[in-house]
Amino acid sequence: MATDELMTRALETLGDDGPMSVEAIHRLTDLAAVAEPMTIADVADLLGISPHTLRYYERAGLVEVGRDSHGHRVYDADAVRRLVFLTRMRLSGMPMRDLQDYISLVDAGEHTVPERLDMLVEHRDTIRRRIRELTLSLTAVEYKIATYGGSTGPDVQTPATDHTTRRALRAQA
């Protein structure tokens, strides 16, 4: 499944409850209603990713998956929770190498918590910068829509009128 489709599905799962929260992530990882163990097809469908991607994550050392007596992959709740985290980090732009480093630290034990925290804080800061950049780009699009007489919708603020913002928007035109 394409990244856009996966993000759409994740956002639909969360609903329009207002701002995102830790509870939203708990809803994504609540596997109480999910049968265990799960097959690769079940997990792929649940997460909206391909079985190929799941096998890739396993080969990359990001998740350990058990096998049944026939050699078929079986995913327990811990593996699925980890995969939920991995897919969210990939959607947020975390490179595979960073994910591999992070998972190595997790697997190494509790003494690596400070390093993991540093990695996540750095990634959060990267995400926040991207959000600001995208917000500026959205503002530029909204400005152009308004310039052409279009409606920007009730939930979109009127393009900024301060001198600095107008200059930045014109530069993007």
Side-chain angles (χ1 to χ4, degrees):
M1 179 177 281
T3 302
D4 287 343
E5 292 176 53
L6 182 54
M7 183 57 80
T8 298
R9 206 168 144 189
L11 291 172
E12 286 171 356
T13 300
L14 295 174
D16 290 328
D17 300 322
M20 300 288 174
S21 65
V22 172
E23 289 76 28
I25 297 301
H26 285 269
R27 284 200 312 266
L28 284 173
T29 59
D30 181 15
L31 304 172
V34 175
E36 193 181 326
M38 296 178 71
T39 66
I40 193 167
D42 295 334
V43 175
D45 185 54
L46 176 71
L47 298 177
I49 58 178
S50 71
H52 173 77
T53 299
L54 292 170
R55 288 188 290 270
Y56 173 70
Y57 285 171
E58 185 181 354
R59 280 192 316 273
L62 297 175
V63 64
E64 292 183 24
V65 181
R67 304 285 178 143
D68 65 14
S69 60
H70 303 290
H72 298 136
R73 288 172 175 83
V74 289
Y75 293 80
D76 61 14
D78 289 337
V80 175
R81 273 195 230 29
R82 180 172 280 192
L83 287 163
V84 168
F85 174 77
L86 293 171
T87 57
R88 297 305 164 254
M89 292 302 98
R90 288 295 294 145
L91 284 172
S92 71
M94 182 177 274
M96 282 297 293
R97 183 73 206 140
D98 290 352
L99 268 177
Q100 289 170 315
D101 291 345
Y102 180 84
I103 292 299
S104 292
L105 290 170
V106 169
D107 292 343
E110 288 295 315
H111 69 281
T112 65
V113 166
E115 291 171 85
R116 288 185 260 164
L117 177 61
D118 288 345
M119 286 184 77
L120 292 174
V121 166
E122 183 177 328
H123 187 63
R124 179 198 59 198
D125 293 346
T126 300
I127 292 169
R128 286 180 173 168
R129 178 179 171 84
R130 284 183 45 223
I131 290 170
R132 285 194 330 270
E133 291 167 353
L134 288 170
T135 300
L136 180 60
S137 296
L138 176 60
T139 302
V141 170
E142 295 293 348
Y143 175 80
K144 280 299 190 184
I145 289 171
T147 299
Y148 297 137
S151 173
T152 58
D155 60 335
V156 178
Q157 295 178 350
T158 305
T161 56
D162 71 42
H163 179 69
T164 305
T165 305
R166 278 197 319 269
R167 187 175 7 179
L169 292 172
R170 278 194 299 269
Q172 288 187 1

Short mmCIF file of all heavy atoms in Angstrom, two decimals, residues 89-146:
data_model
loop_
_atom_site.label_atom_id
_atom_site.label_comp_id
_atom_site.label_asym_id
_atom_site.label_seq_id
_atom_site.Cartn_x
_atom_site.Cartn_y
_atom_site.Cartn_z
N MET A 89 6.77 5.49 12.33
CA MET A 89 8.06 6.17 12.18
C MET A 89 8.43 6.30 10.71
O MET A 89 8.94 7.33 10.27
CB MET A 89 9.17 5.44 12.94
CG MET A 89 9.02 5.49 14.46
SD MET A 89 8.97 7.17 15.14
CE MET A 89 7.21 7.42 15.33
N ARG A 90 8.18 5.27 9.91
CA ARG A 90 8.46 5.36 8.47
C ARG A 90 7.59 6.43 7.83
O ARG A 90 8.07 7.21 7.00
CB ARG A 90 8.24 4.01 7.79
CG ARG A 90 9.29 2.98 8.13
CD ARG A 90 10.68 3.34 7.63
NE ARG A 90 10.71 3.34 6.17
CZ ARG A 90 11.43 4.17 5.43
NH1 ARG A 90 12.21 5.07 6.00
NH2 ARG A 90 11.40 4.10 4.12
N LEU A 91 6.31 6.47 8.20
CA LEU A 91 5.42 7.50 7.65
C LEU A 91 5.89 8.90 8.02
O LEU A 91 5.68 9.85 7.28
CB LEU A 91 3.99 7.29 8.13
CG LEU A 91 3.23 6.16 7.47
CD1 LEU A 91 1.90 5.94 8.17
CD2 LEU A 91 3.00 6.45 6.00
N SER A 92 6.53 9.02 9.17
CA SER A 92 7.00 10.33 9.61
C SER A 92 8.35 10.69 8.99
O SER A 92 8.88 11.76 9.24
CB SER A 92 7.11 10.36 11.14
OG SER A 92 8.19 9.55 11.58
N GLY A 93 8.87 9.78 8.18
CA GLY A 93 10.12 10.08 7.47
C GLY A 93 11.38 9.57 8.12
O GLY A 93 12.48 9.89 7.66
N MET A 94 11.27 8.77 9.18
CA MET A 94 12.49 8.25 9.80
C MET A 94 13.17 7.27 8.84
O MET A 94 12.54 6.34 8.36
CB MET A 94 12.19 7.55 11.13
CG MET A 94 13.44 7.05 11.84
SD MET A 94 13.13 6.27 13.44
CE MET A 94 13.14 7.72 14.50
N PRO A 95 14.44 7.49 8.56
CA PRO A 95 15.16 6.60 7.65
C PRO A 95 15.32 5.20 8.24
O PRO A 95 15.36 5.02 9.47
CB PRO A 95 16.54 7.26 7.51
CG PRO A 95 16.37 8.66 7.98
CD PRO A 95 15.25 8.63 8.99
N MET A 96 15.41 4.21 7.36
CA MET A 96 15.55 2.82 7.81
C MET A 96 16.78 2.66 8.70
O MET A 96 16.72 1.93 9.69
CB MET A 96 15.66 1.88 6.60
CG MET A 96 14.33 1.58 5.95
SD MET A 96 13.17 0.70 7.04
CE MET A 96 14.00 -0.88 7.21
N ARG A 97 17.87 3.30 8.36
CA ARG A 97 19.09 3.15 9.16
C ARG A 97 18.85 3.63 10.60
O ARG A 97 19.29 2.98 11.55
CB ARG A 97 20.23 3.95 8.51
CG ARG A 97 21.54 3.79 9.23
CD ARG A 97 22.11 2.39 8.97
NE ARG A 97 22.98 2.06 10.08
CZ ARG A 97 23.07 0.86 10.65
NH1 ARG A 97 22.39 -0.14 10.20
NH2 ARG A 97 23.86 0.67 11.66
N ASP A 98 18.14 4.74 10.76
CA ASP A 98 17.82 5.23 12.10
C ASP A 98 16.90 4.26 12.83
O ASP A 98 17.05 4.04 14.03
CB ASP A 98 17.18 6.62 12.04
CG ASP A 98 18.16 7.70 11.61
OD1 ASP A 98 19.37 7.42 11.51
OD2 ASP A 98 17.70 8.84 11.38
N LEU A 99 15.94 3.71 12.11
CA LEU A 99 15.05 2.72 12.73
C LEU A 99 15.84 1.50 13.19
O LEU A 99 15.61 0.97 14.28
CB LEU A 99 13.96 2.28 11.74
CG LEU A 99 12.67 3.04 11.77
CD1 LEU A 99 11.72 2.54 10.69
CD2 LEU A 99 12.00 2.96 13.12
N GLN A 100 16.77 1.05 12.37
CA GLN A 100 17.60 -0.09 12.74
C GLN A 100 18.43 0.22 13.99
O GLN A 100 18.54 -0.60 14.90
CB GLN A 100 18.49 -0.52 11.58
CG GLN A 100 17.70 -1.17 10.47
CD GLN A 100 18.53 -1.39 9.22
OE1 GLN A 100 19.27 -0.49 8.78
NE2 GLN A 100 18.40 -2.57 8.63
N ASP A 101 18.99 1.42 14.02
CA ASP A 101 19.77 1.82 15.20
C ASP A 101 18.87 1.88 16.44
O ASP A 101 19.26 1.41 17.52
CB ASP A 101 20.43 3.19 14.97
CG ASP A 101 21.53 3.15 13.93
OD1 ASP A 101 22.00 2.04 13.57
OD2 ASP A 101 21.91 4.24 13.46
N TYR A 102 17.70 2.45 16.28
CA TYR A 102 16.76 2.56 17.40
C TYR A 102 16.37 1.18 17.92
O TYR A 102 16.42 0.92 19.13
CB TYR A 102 15.51 3.35 16.98
CG TYR A 102 14.52 3.50 18.09
CD1 TYR A 102 14.64 4.51 19.03
CD2 TYR A 102 13.47 2.60 18.23
CE1 TYR A 102 13.74 4.63 20.07
CE2 TYR A 102 12.56 2.71 19.27
CZ TYR A 102 12.70 3.73 20.19
OH TYR A 102 11.82 3.83 21.22
N ILE A 103 16.00 0.28 17.03
CA ILE A 103 15.57 -1.05 17.43
C ILE A 103 16.74 -1.81 18.08
O ILE A 103 16.54 -2.55 19.06
CB ILE A 103 14.97 -1.83 16.24
CG1 ILE A 103 13.65 -1.19 15.82
CG2 ILE A 103 14.78 -3.31 16.59
CD1 ILE A 103 12.55 -1.15 16.88
N SER A 104 17.94 -1.62 17.59
CA SER A 104 19.12 -2.23 18.23
C SER A 104 19.26 -1.76 19.67
O SER A 104 19.57 -2.55 20.56
CB SER A 104 20.40 -1.90 17.45
OG SER A 104 20.38 -2.52 16.20
N LEU A 105 19.02 -0.48 19.88
CA LEU A 105 19.08 0.06 21.24
C LEU A 105 17.97 -0.53 22.11
O LEU A 105 18.21 -0.91 23.27
CB LEU A 105 18.97 1.58 21.21
CG LEU A 105 20.17 2.33 20.63
CD1 LEU A 105 19.85 3.80 20.43
CD2 LEU A 105 21.40 2.14 21.52
N VAL A 106 16.77 -0.63 21.57
CA VAL A 106 15.65 -1.22 22.33
C VAL A 106 16.01 -2.64 22.73
O VAL A 106 15.84 -3.03 23.89
CB VAL A 106 14.34 -1.21 21.50
CG1 VAL A 106 13.26 -2.05 22.17
CG2 VAL A 106 13.85 0.21 21.28
N ASP A 107 16.50 -3.40 21.77
CA ASP A 107 16.83 -4.80 22.04
C ASP A 107 18.01 -4.95 23.00
O ASP A 107 18.14 -5.98 23.66
CB ASP A 107 17.13 -5.54 20.73
CG ASP A 107 15.88 -5.70 19.86
OD1 ASP A 107 14.75 -5.55 20.39
OD2 ASP A 107 16.04 -5.97 18.65
N ALA A 108 18.85 -3.92 23.11
CA ALA A 108 20.00 -3.98 24.00
C ALA A 108 19.62 -3.81 25.46
O ALA A 108 20.39 -4.17 26.35
CB ALA A 108 21.03 -2.92 23.61
N GLY A 109 18.45 -3.22 25.73
CA GLY A 109 17.98 -3.14 27.11
C GLY A 109 17.76 -1.73 27.63
O GLY A 109 17.96 -0.73 26.92
N GLU A 110 17.33 -1.69 28.88
CA GLU A 110 16.93 -0.44 29.54
C GLU A 110 18.05 0.59 29.64
O GLU A 110 17.78 1.79 29.65
CB GLU A 110 16.40 -0.73 30.95
CG GLU A 110 15.05 -1.40 30.97
CD GLU A 110 13.95 -0.51 30.40
OE1 GLU A 110 13.90 0.69 30.75
OE2 GLU A 110 13.16 -1.02 29.59
N HIS A 111 19.28 0.15 29.71
CA HIS A 111 20.39 1.10 29.86
C HIS A 111 20.55 2.01 28.64
O HIS A 111 21.27 3.01 28.70
CB HIS A 111 21.71 0.36 30.16
CG HIS A 111 22.23 -0.45 29.01
ND1 HIS A 111 21.72 -1.69 28.70
CD2 HIS A 111 23.20 -0.18 28.10
CE1 HIS A 111 22.36 -2.16 27.64
NE2 HIS A 111 23.26 -1.27 27.27
N THR A 112 19.85 1.71 27.53
CA THR A 112 19.94 2.53 26.32
C THR A 112 18.83 3.57 26.22
O THR A 112 18.75 4.29 25.21
CB THR A 112 19.90 1.64 25.06
OG1 THR A 112 18.61 1.00 24.98
CG2 THR A 112 21.01 0.61 25.07
N VAL A 113 18.00 3.67 27.25
CA VAL A 113 16.88 4.63 27.20
C VAL A 113 17.35 6.06 26.91
O VAL A 113 16.74 6.74 26.08
CB VAL A 113 16.03 4.55 28.50
CG1 VAL A 113 15.08 5.73 28.62
CG2 VAL A 113 15.26 3.24 28.53
N PRO A 114 18.41 6.56 27.53
CA PRO A 114 18.84 7.94 27.20
C PRO A 114 19.17 8.13 25.72
O PRO A 114 18.82 9.15 25.13
CB PRO A 114 20.07 8.16 28.07
CG PRO A 114 19.88 7.23 29.23
CD PRO A 114 19.21 6.01 28.64
N GLU A 115 19.82 7.14 25.11
CA GLU A 115 20.14 7.24 23.68
C GLU A 115 18.88 7.20 22.83
O GLU A 115 18.76 7.95 21.84
CB GLU A 115 21.07 6.10 23.25
CG GLU A 115 22.47 6.21 23.84
CD GLU A 115 23.26 4.94 23.57
OE1 GLU A 115 23.85 4.86 22.47
OE2 GLU A 115 23.27 4.05 24.44
N ARG A 116 17.94 6.35 23.20
CA ARG A 116 16.67 6.27 22.46
C ARG A 116 15.92 7.58 22.57
O ARG A 116 15.36 8.07 21.59
CB ARG A 116 15.80 5.13 23.00
CG ARG A 116 16.33 3.77 22.63
CD ARG A 116 15.37 2.70 23.09
NE ARG A 116 15.85 2.11 24.32
CZ ARG A 116 15.12 1.38 25.15
NH1 ARG A 116 13.85 1.17 24.89
NH2 ARG A 116 15.65 0.85 26.22
N LEU A 117 15.91 8.14 23.77
CA LEU A 117 15.24 9.42 23.97
C LEU A 117 15.85 10.49 23.08
O LEU A 117 15.14 11.25 22.43
CB LEU A 117 15.31 9.83 25.44
CG LEU A 117 14.71 11.18 25.80
CD1 LEU A 117 13.22 11.21 25.46
CD2 LEU A 117 14.93 11.48 27.27
N ASP A 118 17.18 10.54 23.03
CA ASP A 118 17.86 11.52 22.17
C ASP A 118 17.45 11.35 20.71
O ASP A 118 17.18 12.35 20.01
CB ASP A 118 19.39 11.39 22.29
CG ASP A 118 19.93 11.89 23.61
OD1 ASP A 118 19.19 12.60 24.34
OD2 ASP A 118 21.09 11.58 23.91
N MET A 119 17.39 10.10 20.24
CA MET A 119 17.00 9.84 18.85
C MET A 119 15.58 10.33 18.58
O MET A 119 15.32 10.95 17.55
CB MET A 119 17.07 8.34 18.54
CG MET A 119 18.47 7.80 18.38
SD MET A 119 18.45 6.06 17.90
CE MET A 119 18.04 6.24 16.15
N LEU A 120 14.67 10.04 19.51
CA LEU A 120 13.28 10.42 19.31
C LEU A 120 13.08 11.93 19.40
O LEU A 120 12.29 12.49 18.64
CB LEU A 120 12.38 9.69 20.31
CG LEU A 120 12.28 8.18 20.08
CD1 LEU A 120 11.49 7.52 21.21
CD2 LEU A 120 11.67 7.86 18.72
N VAL A 121 13.81 12.58 20.29
CA VAL A 121 13.72 14.05 20.38
C VAL A 121 14.22 14.67 19.08
O VAL A 121 13.60 15.59 18.54
CB VAL A 121 14.50 14.57 21.61
CG1 VAL A 121 14.70 16.08 21.54
CG2 VAL A 121 13.79 14.18 22.90
N GLU A 122 15.32 14.16 18.55
CA GLU A 122 15.85 14.68 17.29
C GLU A 122 14.84 14.45 16.16
O GLU A 122 14.60 15.34 15.33
CB GLU A 122 17.18 14.01 16.96
CG GLU A 122 17.83 14.55 15.70
CD GLU A 122 19.17 13.90 15.43
OE1 GLU A 122 19.89 13.53 16.37
OE2 GLU A 122 19.51 13.79 14.23
N HIS A 123 14.23 13.28 16.13
CA HIS A 123 13.25 12.99 15.08
C HIS A 123 12.01 13.88 15.24
O HIS A 123 11.47 14.38 14.25
CB HIS A 123 12.87 11.51 15.08
CG HIS A 123 12.00 11.13 13.93
ND1 HIS A 123 12.41 11.23 12.62
CD2 HIS A 123 10.72 10.69 13.88
CE1 HIS A 123 11.43 10.85 11.82
NE2 HIS A 123 10.39 10.52 12.56
N ARG A 124 11.58 14.07 16.47
CA ARG A 124 10.44 14.96 16.72
C ARG A 124 10.74 16.36 16.20
O ARG A 124 9.90 16.98 15.55
CB ARG A 124 10.12 15.03 18.22
CG ARG A 124 8.95 15.97 18.52
CD ARG A 124 8.87 16.37 19.93
NE ARG A 124 10.09 17.07 20.35
CZ ARG A 124 10.43 17.24 21.62
NH1 ARG A 124 9.69 16.76 22.60
NH2 ARG A 124 11.54 17.88 21.92
N ASP A 125 11.95 16.85 16.46
CA ASP A 125 12.32 18.19 15.99
C ASP A 125 12.31 18.26 14.46
O ASP A 125 11.89 19.26 13.88
CB ASP A 125 13.68 18.60 16.54
CG ASP A 125 13.67 18.79 18.06
OD1 ASP A 125 12.57 18.87 18.65
OD2 ASP A 125 14.76 18.83 18.65
N THR A 126 12.75 17.19 13.81
CA THR A 126 12.71 17.12 12.35
C THR A 126 11.27 17.16 11.85
O THR A 126 10.96 17.87 10.89
CB THR A 126 13.41 15.83 11.85
OG1 THR A 126 14.77 15.85 12.29
CG2 THR A 126 13.36 15.71 10.34
N ILE A 127 10.40 16.41 12.49
CA ILE A 127 8.98 16.40 12.12
C ILE A 127 8.37 17.78 12.30
O ILE A 127 7.65 18.28 11.42
CB ILE A 127 8.19 15.35 12.93
CG1 ILE A 127 8.62 13.93 12.56
CG2 ILE A 127 6.68 15.52 12.73
CD1 ILE A 127 8.08 12.87 13.50
N ARG A 128 8.66 18.42 13.43
CA ARG A 128 8.11 19.76 13.68
C ARG A 128 8.58 20.75 12.61
O ARG A 128 7.81 21.59 12.17
CB ARG A 128 8.50 20.24 15.07
CG ARG A 128 7.71 19.55 16.16
CD ARG A 128 8.11 20.06 17.51
NE ARG A 128 7.23 19.51 18.54
CZ ARG A 128 7.46 19.60 19.83
NH1 ARG A 128 8.53 20.21 20.27
NH2 ARG A 128 6.61 19.06 20.68
N ARG A 129 9.83 20.65 12.20
CA ARG A 129 10.33 21.55 11.15
C ARG A 129 9.58 21.28 9.85
O ARG A 129 9.18 22.22 9.16
CB ARG A 129 11.83 21.37 10.96
CG ARG A 129 12.36 22.25 9.83
CD ARG A 129 13.86 22.11 9.64
NE ARG A 129 14.27 22.78 8.44
CZ ARG A 129 14.54 24.08 8.34
NH1 ARG A 129 14.43 24.84 9.41
NH2 ARG A 129 14.92 24.60 7.20
N ARG A 130 9.39 20.00 9.51
CA ARG A 130 8.66 19.66 8.29
C ARG A 130 7.23 20.18 8.35
O ARG A 130 6.69 20.64 7.34
CB ARG A 130 8.68 18.15 8.06
CG ARG A 130 10.02 17.68 7.54
CD ARG A 130 10.09 16.20 7.22
NE ARG A 130 8.94 15.71 6.50
CZ ARG A 130 8.32 14.56 6.76
NH1 ARG A 130 8.73 13.78 7.76
NH2 ARG A 130 7.29 14.17 6.04
N ILE A 131 6.61 20.09 9.51
CA ILE A 131 5.25 20.60 9.67
C ILE A 131 5.23 22.11 9.42
O ILE A 131 4.35 22.62 8.73
CB ILE A 131 4.67 20.25 11.05
CG1 ILE A 131 4.39 18.74 11.12
CG2 ILE A 131 3.40 21.06 11.35
CD1 ILE A 131 4.05 18.24 12.52
N ARG A 132 6.21 22.85 9.97
CA ARG A 132 6.28 24.29 9.74
C ARG A 132 6.47 24.60 8.26
O ARG A 132 5.85 25.50 7.70
CB ARG A 132 7.40 24.92 10.57
CG ARG A 132 7.07 25.05 12.04
CD ARG A 132 8.02 25.96 12.83
NE ARG A 132 9.39 26.04 12.38
CZ ARG A 132 10.39 25.25 12.79
NH1 ARG A 132 10.16 24.30 13.65
NH2 ARG A 132 11.61 25.44 12.34
N GLU A 133 7.35 23.83 7.60
CA GLU A 133 7.58 24.03 6.18
C GLU A 133 6.31 23.75 5.38
O GLU A 133 5.97 24.51 4.47
CB GLU A 133 8.72 23.12 5.70
CG GLU A 133 10.09 23.52 6.24
CD GLU A 133 11.16 22.45 6.01
OE1 GLU A 133 10.82 21.33 5.55
OE2 GLU A 133 12.33 22.73 6.32
N LEU A 134 5.62 22.68 5.73
CA LEU A 134 4.38 22.35 5.03
C LEU A 134 3.29 23.38 5.31
O LEU A 134 2.50 23.70 4.42
CB LEU A 134 3.89 20.95 5.42
CG LEU A 134 4.71 19.79 4.84
CD1 LEU A 134 4.29 18.48 5.48
CD2 LEU A 134 4.59 19.74 3.32
N THR A 135 3.27 23.90 6.53
CA THR A 135 2.29 24.93 6.86
C THR A 135 2.54 26.19 6.03
O THR A 135 1.59 26.81 5.53
CB THR A 135 2.35 25.25 8.37
OG1 THR A 135 2.05 24.06 9.10
CG2 THR A 135 1.35 26.35 8.75
N LEU A 136 3.79 26.57 5.86
CA LEU A 136 4.12 27.71 5.01
C LEU A 136 3.70 27.44 3.57
O LEU A 136 3.11 28.30 2.90
CB LEU A 136 5.61 28.05 5.08
CG LEU A 136 6.05 29.23 4.21
CD1 LEU A 136 5.32 30.51 4.62
CD2 LEU A 136 7.56 29.41 4.31
N SER A 137 3.95 26.23 3.09
CA SER A 137 3.54 25.88 1.73
C SER A 137 2.03 25.90 1.59
O SER A 137 1.50 26.38 0.58
CB SER A 137 4.08 24.49 1.36
OG SER A 137 5.48 24.51 1.33
N LEU A 138 1.31 25.40 2.58
CA LEU A 138 -0.15 25.44 2.56
C LEU A 138 -0.64 26.87 2.55
O LEU A 138 -1.58 27.22 1.82
CB LEU A 138 -0.73 24.68 3.76
CG LEU A 138 -2.25 24.72 3.91
CD1 LEU A 138 -2.93 24.11 2.69
CD2 LEU A 138 -2.67 24.03 5.19
N THR A 139 -0.01 27.72 3.33
CA THR A 139 -0.39 29.13 3.36
C THR A 139 -0.19 29.76 1.99
O THR A 139 -1.02 30.56 1.53
CB THR A 139 0.43 29.89 4.43
OG1 THR A 139 0.20 29.27 5.70
CG2 THR A 139 0.05 31.35 4.50
N ALA A 140 0.89 29.39 1.31
CA ALA A 140 1.13 29.92 -0.03
C ALA A 140 0.03 29.47 -1.00
O ALA A 140 -0.47 30.26 -1.81
CB ALA A 140 2.49 29.46 -0.55
N VAL A 141 -0.37 28.22 -0.90
CA VAL A 141 -1.44 27.71 -1.76
C VAL A 141 -2.76 28.41 -1.44
O VAL A 141 -3.49 28.83 -2.35
CB VAL A 141 -1.59 26.18 -1.61
CG1 VAL A 141 -2.85 25.66 -2.30
CG2 VAL A 141 -0.35 25.47 -2.16
N GLU A 142 -3.06 28.57 -0.17
CA GLU A 142 -4.29 29.25 0.24
C GLU A 142 -4.28 30.70 -0.25
O GLU A 142 -5.30 31.23 -0.69
CB GLU A 142 -4.47 29.21 1.76
CG GLU A 142 -4.67 27.82 2.33
CD GLU A 142 -5.99 27.18 1.93
OE1 GLU A 142 -6.87 27.85 1.38
OE2 GLU A 142 -6.13 25.97 2.18
N TYR A 143 -3.13 31.34 -0.17
CA TYR A 143 -2.99 32.71 -0.65
C TYR A 143 -3.32 32.80 -2.14
O TYR A 143 -4.06 33.67 -2.58
CB TYR A 143 -1.56 33.20 -0.37
CG TYR A 143 -1.25 34.57 -0.92
CD1 TYR A 143 -1.66 35.72 -0.25
CD2 TYR A 143 -0.56 34.70 -2.12
CE1 TYR A 143 -1.37 36.98 -0.76
CE2 TYR A 143 -0.27 35.95 -2.63
CZ TYR A 143 -0.68 37.09 -1.95
OH TYR A 143 -0.40 38.33 -2.46
N LYS A 144 -2.76 31.87 -2.92
CA LYS A 144 -3.01 31.87 -4.35
C LYS A 144 -4.48 31.58 -4.65
O LYS A 144 -5.07 32.17 -5.54
CB LYS A 144 -2.12 30.86 -5.07
CG LYS A 144 -0.73 31.35 -5.31
CD LYS A 144 -0.78 32.59 -6.19
CE LYS A 144 0.59 32.99 -6.65
NZ LYS A 144 0.57 34.24 -7.41
N ILE A 145 -5.07 30.64 -3.93
CA ILE A 145 -6.49 30.33 -4.13
C ILE A 145 -7.32 31.58 -3.87
O ILE A 145 -8.20 31.93 -4.66
CB ILE A 145 -6.92 29.17 -3.22
CG1 ILE A 145 -6.31 27.85 -3.71
CG2 ILE A 145 -8.45 29.06 -3.15
CD1 ILE A 145 -6.50 26.68 -2.76
N ALA A 146 -7.03 32.28 -2.77
CA ALA A 146 -7.77 33.51 -2.45
C ALA A 146 -7.51 34.59 -3.50
O ALA A 146 -8.41 35.33 -3.89
CB ALA A 146 -7.37 34.01 -1.05
#
